[in-house]
Amino acid sequence: MKVKWYGTATLMLESGGTRLLVDPYARRCSRAPGVDIEEARTADAILITHPHLDHFADVDIFSRDGESVYVSESGIELARRNGLAAHRMAAIAAGDEVRIGAFTVRAYPARHCRFDAATLLRLALSPRTWARLPQCVRLLRAAARFRIDERDVLAYAVDDGERRVLIFGSAGMDADADYPRAVDLLVFPYQGRRRMDREMIPFLRALEPRAVMLDHFDDAFPPVTHRVDTRRFLPTVAEYAPDATGILPTLNEWTEI
């Protein structure tokens, strides 16, 4: 199995001739490389961890007629209200398991990361926010059209018979969920709070992954977001999961699992 990070929380997994696309999002900071749309459209199915703007709003760019987009039931209703192609979507909930080509996908309940005061203050006080206030307001209004509740937030375990990947779209675990342990790769979204390295520690302790890869640490939609400082990532993995490999991915490059 191999995985490619396209930026934000957008991933492609490939094994045995099957491709899965996760949380597709096409908008980018102008300084960042764009998503390879044509490559992303080769996916056999799309998984949505939660239907927020930066995980779901661009799904029509990537999906095709007859292709399944797996998202929560209320996410399909959000799609209808926002003019997205709901007929391409299939409802998935925690506990469901689906077979997609070479992959078995199981959905688990998860939680959305709660933004802390430091992160919100950084946005409110940033000169970049005030210099681009109209754009900031437009983005926040767009985000408000994609409001979700806890049942909409999922994690996915993707297994090809040899390797297992556990993907979180936001940095929150469900206290009652029985997540798989010792997965070959944990994908951890590094966005939402000032010290994401501290937010990662409970994941490392509870899940004991063999490798950890970050995503969602880039400047996804400025001026609302900033690139997150990842310098504490590898030291945190070394301290709390010393047998695990830490992976800071490079945009648009495949990583073998």
Side-chain angles (χ1 to χ4, degrees):
M1 191 190 307
K2 59 183 181 179
V3 60
K4 179 181 284 193
W5 177 58
Y6 289 116
T8 316
T10 307
L11 303 169
M12 179 82 86
L13 283 77
E14 180 180 284
S15 181
T18 303
R19 286 182 165 182
L20 294 180
L21 187 64
V22 181
D23 289 352
Y25 182 63
R27 304 167 216 197
R28 288 289 178 271
C29 170
S30 60
R31 296 185 299 277
V35 179
D36 186 339
I37 301 293
E38 292 308 312
E39 181 181 69
R41 283 176 174 162
T42 64
D44 296 282
I46 297 174
L47 306 177
I48 304 297
T49 63
H50 60 286
H52 267 166
L53 173 75
D54 52 334
H55 297 251
F56 186 54
D58 291 341
V59 69
D60 281 3
I61 296 172
F62 301 90
S63 65
R64 297 167 295 177
D65 285 337
E67 180 182 45
S68 290
V69 177
Y70 292 92
V71 66
S72 66
E73 187 171 358
S74 57
I76 296 176
E77 180 56 33
L78 276 176
R80 292 191 183 99
R81 294 206 304 264
N82 284 280
L84 300 177
H87 67 280
R88 301 176 185 173
M89 299 177 186
I92 191 168
D96 289 350
E97 184 173 286
V98 294
R99 182 77 181 182
I100 305 168
F103 294 111
T104 300
V105 178
R106 185 172 180 83
Y108 291 85
R111 293 289 179 264
H112 199 276
C113 180
R114 296 183 181 275
F115 301 111
D116 60 0
T119 299
L120 296 174
L121 281 172
R122 182 182 184 185
L123 171 63
L125 300 177
S126 170
R128 187 172 73 158
T129 299
W130 293 100
R132 301 168 69 179
L133 187 60
Q135 181 182 355
C136 186
V137 171
R138 285 196 298 271
L139 282 168
L140 292 174
R141 284 177 175 169
R145 299 200 307 270
F146 292 87
R147 294 187 185 275
I148 65 172
D149 61 36
E150 287 186 345
R151 292 172 296 175
D152 290 310
V153 185
L154 301 170
Y156 292 107
V158 180
D159 193 320
D160 71 349
E162 295 183 2
R163 297 285 187 269
R164 180 179 288 178
V165 177
L166 182 59
I167 302 168
F168 284 84
S170 189
M173 289 188 289
D174 185 295
D176 298 321
D178 185 19
Y179 298 113
R181 298 167 64 89
V183 293
D184 296 286
L185 181 67
L186 167 66
V187 178
F188 182 78
Y190 214 70
Q191 183 79 248
R193 297 179 72 85
R194 186 176 68 88
R195 290 291 304 273
M196 288 306 301
D197 56 302
R198 292 176 179 170
E199 304 300 317
M200 185 174 61
I201 292 170
F203 286 77
L204 298 177
R205 285 175 167 165
L207 303 176
E208 299 179 342
R210 295 189 175 97
V212 186
M213 188 180 87
L214 297 188
D215 69 357
H216 218 332
F217 58 87
D218 56 332
D219 193 2
F221 47 107
V224 175
T225 60
H226 298 76
R227 183 180 174 87
V228 178
D229 186 347
T230 58
R231 287 175 293 181
R232 295 188 181 96
F233 165 56
L234 292 177
T236 302
V237 173
E239 180 175 356
Y240 292 94
D243 295 328
T245 301
I247 302 169
L248 191 64
T250 300
L251 274 170
N252 301 324
E253 290 189 6
W254 289 102
T255 298
E256 292 285 343
I257 302 170

